[in-house]
Amino acid sequence: MSRIPPPNPARRHFLFTLATASCVGIAALPASRALAQNAGSLPHLSEEDPLAKSLGYKANASAVDKAKFPTFKPGQDCSLCRFYQGTAGQAFGPCQVFAGKAVSAKGWCVSYSQKT
Ligand code: SF4
């Protein structure tokens, strides 16, 4: 005659934690892969895009209208912005402000915020 072991709360907690961590890991994997794969395939943000226009986006920061955007300082560009998600050396990369588009590493918009 076999006996069923009594419930073990520590074991139950361990199994629950393991299952939860596995689910979160599996769910996050496609998102990180998608971001890496999309970095090169995202359409480039146009300066004529309505949101880009409203935020003064320029693909080349040297073309920023300094009178209209006095917060712009020479030397600032997307590659130094905390919203930029491209990797070093890439000409374009994703930006958290312009979802689904790639911005120029040499670009700028009024949402610029220096990476810390
Ligand atoms: Fe560039 Fe930053 Fe503006 Fe995005 S938020 S376009 S990275 S300056």
Side-chain angles (χ1 to χ4, degrees):
M1 182 170 175
S2 67
R3 290 187 54 204
I4 298 173
N8 182 337
R11 182 171 178 257
R12 187 179 298 159
H13 177 75
F14 170 77
L15 291 174
F16 177 77
T17 303
L18 183 64
T20 304
S22 298
C23 289
V24 170
I26 289 167
L29 191 58
S32 61
R33 273 196 197 142
L35 185 62
Q37 289 172 345
N38 284 342
S41 61
L42 288 174
H44 293 177
L45 178 66
S46 164
E47 292 178 2
E48 300 309 312
D49 175 283
L51 180 60
K53 250 185 164 169
S54 70
L55 296 178
Y57 171 76
K58 293 291 179 189
N60 188 334
S62 65
V64 171
D65 181 346
K66 294 158 191 80
K68 194 171 177 185
F69 299 102
T71 58
F72 172 77
K73 302 283 182 280
Q76 295 178 342
D77 66 27
C78 293
S79 70
L80 303 173
C81 175
R82 72 184 180 110
F83 299 118
Y84 186 69
Q85 298 182 311
T87 54
Q90 279 186 314
F92 285 82
C95 165
Q96 292 175 318
V97 173
F98 298 102
K101 300 283 171 66
V103 300
S104 168
K106 301 275 183 217
W108 187 91
C109 86
V110 76
S111 298
Y112 177 88
S113 177
Q114 182 78 33
K115 273 183 192 164
T116 53

